[in-house]
Amino acid sequence: MRKNFIASVAFLLASGTAVLADGASDGKVKIGILNDQSGVYADFGGKSSVEAAQMAVEDFGGKVLDAPIEIVDADHQNKPDIASNIARQWYDTEQVDAIMELTTSSVALAVQAIGKEKKKIDIVTGAATTDLTGKACSPYGFHWAYDTHALAVGTGGALVKQGGDSWFFLTADYAFGYSLEQQTSDFVKANGGNVVGSVRHPLASQDFSSFLLQAQSSGAKVVGLANAGLDTSNAIKQAAEFGITQGGQRLAALLFTLADVHGLGLEAAQGLTLTEGYYWNRDDESRAFGKKFFDRTGKMPNMIHAGTYSAVLQYLKAIQKAGTDETEAVAKQLHQMPVDDVFGRGGTVGPNGRMIHDMYLLQVKKPDESKEAWDYFNVLATIPGKDAYIDPAKSGCDLVK
């Protein structure tokens, strides 16, 4: 009888555990959008990424496995220590299941390390460094919208082919800038070009004069701006004051999005070549999403906004497919499920967490070419995902067999 009693208790406990493992573990699914909402990247992602995440929740139906879905957000101020404190608080005391967006590579790396430690999922759409799916990869970490390799292949590759075979870099002095400069330099050299020099500037610089003078005196055909957001816009404005393009040098904005072009204006941005993973005016489906987003935010989406929508939607689909929000089960589905939405058409996720999808080489229109508000780009080429992104086997991620 004692043996039968013990066996019965063990069965009931096992059954209870199985029941608890199904569905949402605490009666809800909570997603945190952590990004820059007040600094140089506020237009790049910011509150508009939060709105994109909310759109994904609404389009999914507001619930998953009969549990409500909640979006929370916070401003990390581009500081890894602040981001880390928020992430730990969200995970430890506020029942946040996954963190997404994570503009700024140093922030994304810090939060992904915490997610790895605590076995929590993060999906990065705002940061660019390939280290996220390389030496710093995590079984629970995913990189969604773009990365420095894709930008180097797109913008760097296009300019080298057009004769821009000597480069000087203005580089943001943190992980993202280093990675973007390195990836582009490697691509330039592999295609017969050379790098004649570089200079690093602090995040949120106001005065680029000394950096631009060094670029100008280098004689390089291309000045590569390995920065983003307001740093890139300010560098472009000040380059015009120094007559850099008038002197025959070309500016390569290596990370420049629709939001940045809008802020700078077509007059100043015309002719720039750039790479994005999404353009709202490319086809009917992207235009429909763009209009819906515009009605809520007053702006058209860039690849960070559309990528955040995609990441949230895919995460919810993975929970639905797994039948639980338990991390291991959801991460397994995220690695296995194809991505097919307005952003990641025909996308796949590699064993290193890199979502592989097509990128677009774009050129900013002249003011008289633009037919309507936010009609800023000509699509020069589609870059297949297999060409845009590093082969997972060569990424340096120790998860890849």
Side-chain angles (χ1 to χ4, degrees), residues 148-153 155-157 159-160 167 169 177-191 195 222 224-226 252 254:
T148 51
H149 187 270
L151 299 176
V153 169
T155 309
L159 292 176
V160 172
W167 287 62
F169 288 94
Y178 312 150
S179 182
L180 185 51
E181 179 187 332
Q182 185 62 56
Q183 296 281 351
T184 308
S185 295
D186 290 347
F187 200 85
V188 168
K189 293 172 185 176
N191 285 271
V195 176
V222 178
L225 303 177
L254 296 170

Side-chain angles (χ1 to χ4, degrees), residues 33-48:
I33 304 300
L34 184 55
N35 61 6
D36 176 10
Q37 299 181 6
S38 58
V40 293
Y41 303 139
D43 286 338
F44 185 72
K47 281 290 190 179
S48 295

Side-chain angles (χ1 to χ4, degrees), residues 148-162 164 167 180 184 187-188 222-225 250-256 272-276 359-362 383:
T148 51
H149 187 270
L151 299 176
V153 169
T155 309
L159 292 176
V160 172
K161 290 175 183 177
Q162 293 172 11
W167 287 62
L180 185 51
T184 308
F187 200 85
V188 168
V222 178
V223 179
L225 303 177
R250 297 187 66 173
L251 291 177
L254 296 170
L255 177 51
F256 208 59
L272 281 173
T273 302
L274 57 103
T275 304
E276 278 215 60
M359 298 288 288
Y360 304 101
L361 182 65
L362 307 167
I383 306 163

Side-chain angles (χ1 to χ4, degrees), residues 88 111-120 138 140:
R88 290 186 184 279
V111 173
Q112 181 157 292
I114 293 169
K116 186 175 183 179
E117 169 198 335
K118 295 183 175 294
K119 295 188 176 181
K120 293 284 190 175
S138 163
Y140 318 114

Side-chain angles (χ1 to χ4, degrees), residues 264-270 367:
L264 191 59
L266 284 183
E267 190 65 41
Q270 61 181 306

